[in-house]
Amino acid sequence: QQQVKQSPQSLIVQKGGISIINCAYENTAFDYFPWYQQFPGKGPALLIAIRPDVSEKKEGRFTISFNKSAKQFSLHIMDSQPGDSATYFCAASMSTGGFKTIFGAGTRLFVKA
Amino acid sequence: DAGVTQSPTHLIKTRGQQVTLRCSPKSGHDTVSWYQQALGQGPQFIFQYYEEEERQRGNFPDRFSGHQFPNYSSELNVNALLLGDSALYLCASSLGGRGGYTFGSGTRLTVV
């Protein structure tokens, strides 16, 4: 119930294309859903986050779509660029008990120039 | 504005030894969470410290312990090291544990 399942494991997209990464969760107590971007040799960096009271959030080329009834959320990267090549993690946390954050297994994105 | 600082960056230890990793949170943050990230996997939650106390703990044995100091910095201690403890150890800070984390670059621990 504490798991966050992420797919695909890896993704290759052409420059200018749309990258889509999907996540699913079970525990309905989760109330904060961030996405992190990690480059080799670095720690994850917060990219964008959403709360379950909205269905979509957009920041620049990055959009989160959230489906509360299906317990799924996804990250869309529009106009993907080679500099977006990184590992992306979805995550979920709950405000009860201190916002412990559970991470998905990650998606390795490669954007071909 | 300094982000999260972790030390050391790399460490090699022998099985059975003990190790201490250190973390200074981002300025203004009071909560520190520790994660273990094995190669090619997502970060796994070890524990979280707030107000100098362990507030939450993940599924890690008692060999993993920690401490938070009055200046909000934190240490992660691992006793009786096993080969399987080899991983990137990440420290993340936040304000009250709320919202997104700011991560450090991690400490790469290799147990031989």
Side-chain angles (χ1 to χ4, degrees):
Chain A
Q1 245 203 350
Q2 290 286 319
Q3 283 188 323
V4 177
K5 295 182 180 179
Q6 183 171 348
S7 63
Q9 280 187 312
S10 62
L11 184 60
I12 300 174
V13 173
Q14 291 285 348
K15 179 182 175 181
I18 302 173
S19 304
I20 302 174
I21 304 170
N22 301 300
C23 282
Y25 64 98
E26 288 295 325
N27 192 338
T28 55
F30 288 136
D31 56 8
Y32 181 75
F33 300 89
W35 285 88
Y36 288 84
Q37 178 189 57
Q38 186 176 29
F39 292 104
K42 299 290 186 182
L46 180 64
L47 197 58
I48 186 173
I50 197 168
R51 298 190 186 277
D53 52 346
V54 298
S55 60
E56 186 174 282
K57 183 174 181 180
K58 182 176 180 179
E59 288 184 2
R61 296 186 293 110
F62 301 91
T63 300
I64 300 178
S65 297
F66 189 86
N67 186 329
K68 188 174 181 178
S69 60
K71 292 185 282 187
Q72 295 175 347
F73 58 111
S74 60
L75 176 70
H76 295 230
I77 305 174
M78 312 300 286
D79 186 27
S80 298
Q81 299 297 312
D84 297 329
S85 297
T87 300
Y88 292 81
F89 294 98
C90 63
S93 67
M94 61 186 80
S95 54
T96 54
F99 283 87
K100 178 176 77 172
T101 299
I102 306 300
F103 284 79
T107 297
R108 295 186 69 176
L109 170 65
F110 180 68
V111 181
K112 296 172 65 175
Chain B
D1 180 26
V4 176
T5 304
Q6 290 188 245
S7 64
T9 55
H10 295 85
L11 203 52
I12 300 175
K13 288 286 190 178
T14 304
R15 273 181 303 174
Q17 285 189 316
Q18 179 265 343
V19 67
T20 297
L21 310 182
R22 295 176 175 82
C23 172
S24 293
K26 180 179 178 179
S27 178
H29 285 181
D30 59 6
T31 303
V32 172
S33 302
W34 286 92
Y35 285 82
Q36 180 194 65
Q37 186 177 26
L39 204 59
Q41 298 190 19
Q44 298 295 312
F45 177 76
I46 302 175
F47 41 53
Q48 184 183 84
Y49 277 86
Y50 174 70
E51 292 188 340
E52 302 180 50
E53 290 193 359
E54 183 183 290
R55 181 160 64 177
Q56 291 199 75
R57 189 178 183 89
N59 295 324
F60 279 80
D62 291 345
R63 299 186 296 109
F64 289 77
S65 63
H67 190 77
Q68 186 179 36
F69 299 94
N71 66 352
Y72 308 119
S73 67
S74 178
E75 289 182 349
L76 164 65
N77 300 293
V78 187
N79 294 321
L81 284 166
L82 304 174
L83 295 179
D85 295 332
S86 296
L88 180 68
Y89 287 85
L90 294 163
C91 171
S93 73
S94 57
L95 181 60
R98 298 184 177 278
Y101 290 159
T102 299
F103 279 89
S105 293
T107 294
R108 172 71 63 187
L109 173 64
T110 302
V111 182
V112 297

